[in-house]
């Protein structure tokens, strides 16, 4: 009986898992370089990279990397 329940559970997961994966793939998000932000760090000569978060081609927000990440 236990083996029967395990087999049914495996079949249910096999049918549901592809749709869950497809839903996750539909929510495609990535970080895109925006600009190099200056004069926002504690040391005046440091700056940091700003990235835009894009999900499904739509801008979500801008986030900043650690100080000293821009190449001079």
């Amino acid at each position: 009986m236990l083996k029967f329940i395990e087999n049914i559970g495996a079949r249910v997961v096999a049918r549901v898992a592809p749709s869950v994966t497809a839903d996750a793939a539909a929510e495609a998000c990535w970080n895109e370089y925006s600009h190099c932000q200056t004069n926002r760090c504690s040391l005046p000569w440091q700056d940091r990279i700003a990235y835009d978060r894009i999900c499904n081609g739509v801008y979500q927000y801008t986030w900043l990397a650690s100080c000293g990440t821009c190449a001079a």
Side-chain angles (χ1 to χ4, degrees):
M1 184 65 163
L2 181 60
K3 199 64 157 167
F4 175 75
I5 293 171
E6 287 177 359
N7 287 340
I8 297 238
R11 288 180 186 171
V12 169
V13 169
R15 290 183 187 264
V16 172
S19 65
V20 170
T21 306
D23 291 344
E27 182 74 20
C29 295
W30 65 91
N31 297 316
E32 190 171 294
Y33 171 81
S34 176
H35 62 281
C36 188
Q37 185 183 51
T38 58
N39 301 328
R40 297 289 181 174
C41 294
S42 59
L43 299 173
W45 63 85
Q46 286 188 329
D47 45 20
R48 54 189 173 177
I49 298 174
Y51 292 98
D52 291 337
R53 182 72 172 169
I54 311 293
C55 291
N56 294 325
V58 178
Y59 169 83
Q60 301 295 312
Y61 56 87
T62 299
W63 64 274
L64 299 168
S66 299
C67 286
T69 52
C70 284

